[in-house]
């Protein structure tokens, strides 16, 4: 009888052990919660890897193509890994872009517009978020309208106006409007600052009023210093969009010899296409274009790499992810 009981207990222990293993295996693959299991994480990483590949493949192709020499370009078996590295295309693109001059103009326009838009748009955003004034809702609706209105509707009157005051073929039409919160995506930056300032506690403003601070002093002494995250977001957006912008420089600086990098890249592509039309297809056209594109995006990647941590934090705090 005792032997039967011992066998029965061993059988129960074995069943419990098997059940525990099945449960632990289930929790490993599925998880106690929907987002904790191995299958969910595997699916998530597959999505992330596929998404990363979609964005990284053009960059990898650009870098590899610009480093191929003539032998690698003519060899159909060389696709991703060239047998030798050649940097001559970078030098050719550097010279054809007139990189030093074009870089100076791109940096001047992008940096100036970014700083001016931070100042003007932050003031406007603070006013819409914390102050009360007549026609506030109507003016904010007009701001939204300027955000959704395409720039092609106002470009012709703008060109005629700037030509009348002698600013044609200069970068002033892109910099001066930023003083007043205009420029590329200026309305969006006002909305970003408004959203950020709306989330701050009103006790700060009440305490400043008790201390005798007016609206301007409160803004510059209190609100602006604590809005670093919003400033980083606006700076990066403004800098990158103005750096990559082709439309406005092509309209305002069409007759200028000294142009930013976006226009220089278009002129380089047109020059290579004209040479191909006259002398036939060249195997060096594509590597030079890739090298020119690489030279243009490197400064933006460096700026983003430096400010990445603050940019992610600013995106969360300004409400752009909601």
């Amino acid at each position: 009888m005792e032997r039967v009981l011992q066998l029965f207990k061993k059988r129960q222990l074995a069943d419990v052990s098997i059940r525990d293993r099945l449960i632990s295996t289930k929790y490993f693959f599925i998880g106690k919660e929907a987002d904790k299991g191995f299958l969910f994480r595997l699916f998530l990483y597959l999505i992330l890897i596929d998404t990363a590949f979609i964005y990284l493949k053009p960059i990898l192709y650009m870098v590899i193509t610009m480093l191929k020499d003539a032998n690698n370009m003519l060899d159909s078996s060389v696709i991703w890994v060239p047998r030798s590295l050649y940097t001559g295309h970078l030098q050719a693109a550097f010279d054809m872009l007139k990189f030093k001059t074009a870089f100076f103009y791109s940096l001047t326009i992008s940096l100036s517009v970014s700083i001016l838009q931070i100042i003007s748009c932050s003031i406007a955003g603070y006013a819409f978020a914390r102050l009360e004034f007549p026609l506030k809702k109507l003016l904010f609706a007009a701001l939204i309208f300027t955000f959704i209105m395409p720039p092609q509707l106002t470009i012709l009157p703008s060109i005629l106006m700037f030509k009348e005051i002698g600013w044609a073929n200069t970068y002033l039409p892109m910099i001066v409007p930023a003083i007043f919160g205009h420029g590329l995506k200026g309305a969006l930056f006002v909305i970003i600052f408004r959203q950020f300032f709306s989330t701050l506690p009103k006790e700060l403003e009440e305490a400043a009023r008790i201390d005798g601070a007016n609206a301007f002093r409160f803004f510059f002494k209190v609100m602006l210093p604590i809005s670093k995250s919003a400033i980083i977001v606006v700076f990066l957006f403004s800098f990158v969009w103005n750096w990559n912008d082709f439309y406005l420089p092509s309209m305002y600086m069409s007759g200028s010899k000294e142009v930013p990098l976006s226009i220089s890249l278009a002129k380089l592509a047109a020059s290579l296409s004209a040479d191909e039309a006259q002398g036939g297809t060249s195997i060096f056209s594509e590597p030079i274009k890739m090298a020119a594109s690489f030279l243009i995006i490197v400064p933006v990647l460096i700026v983003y790499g430096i400010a990445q941590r603050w940019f992610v934090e600013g995106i969360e705090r300004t409400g752009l992810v909601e």
Side-chain angles (χ1 to χ4, degrees), residues 9 34 54 60 68 125 149 173 205 237 257 294 299 303 320:
K9 289 181 180 179
I54 291 173
L60 294 175
K68 290 181 180 179
M149 182 176 60
E205 193 169 0
F237 277 150
K257 295 182 179 179
F294 176 78
V303 171
L320 291 180

Side-chain angles (χ1 to χ4, degrees), residues 196 229 233 310-322:
F196 176 79
S229 56
V233 170
W310 297 285
F311 177 73
V312 174
E313 176 187 350
I315 287 291
E316 296 174 352
R317 293 195 62 186
T318 54
L320 291 180
V321 296
E322 296 180 357

Side-chain angles (χ1 to χ4, degrees), residues 23-57:
I23 293 174
S24 61
T25 303
K26 173 185 175 183
Y27 285 156
F28 174 75
F29 284 101
I30 301 177
K32 294 183 179 180
E33 299 179 7
D35 58 343
K36 301 298 182 182
F38 173 77
L39 293 178
F40 177 82
R41 293 182 179 180
L42 178 62
F43 176 75
L44 180 63
Y45 279 110
L46 287 176
I47 295 296
L48 292 176
I49 291 172
D50 290 342
T51 305
F53 178 75
I54 291 173
Y55 286 98
L56 291 177
K57 181 182 177 181

Side-chain angles (χ1 to χ4, degrees), residues 258-279:
E258 298 176 342
V259 292
L261 286 169
S262 57
I263 305 298
S264 295
L265 180 61
K267 289 185 176 182
L268 180 145
S271 176
L272 292 176
S273 299
D275 293 341
E276 289 182 354
Q278 293 180 357

Side-chain angles (χ1 to χ4, degrees), residues 60-73:
L60 294 175
Y61 177 81
M62 174 182 63
V63 174
I64 292 170
T65 302
M66 76 178 187
L67 294 176
K68 290 181 180 179
D69 58 11
N71 295 328
N72 287 315
M73 292 297 298

Side-chain angles (χ1 to χ4, degrees), residues 114-133 136 140 143 178-181 186 189-197 215-221 223-225 227 230-231 234:
S114 301
I115 295 174
L116 291 173
Q117 283 185 328
I118 286 173
I119 298 172
S120 57
C121 294
S122 62
I123 295 174
Y126 170 73
F128 280 116
R130 315 293 289 206
L131 302 181
E132 294 296 333
F133 51 89
K136 177 180 176 179
F140 188 73
L143 177 73
I179 300 175
F180 308 99
F189 302 146
V190 175
I191 296 172
I192 291 175
F193 277 113
R194 176 185 177 273
Q195 177 67 20
F196 176 79
F197 290 135
F216 284 99
R217 184 179 178 186
F218 174 69
F219 172 74
F220 286 106
K221 295 291 185 180
M223 301 295 274
L224 195 60
S227 60
I231 290 174
V234 170

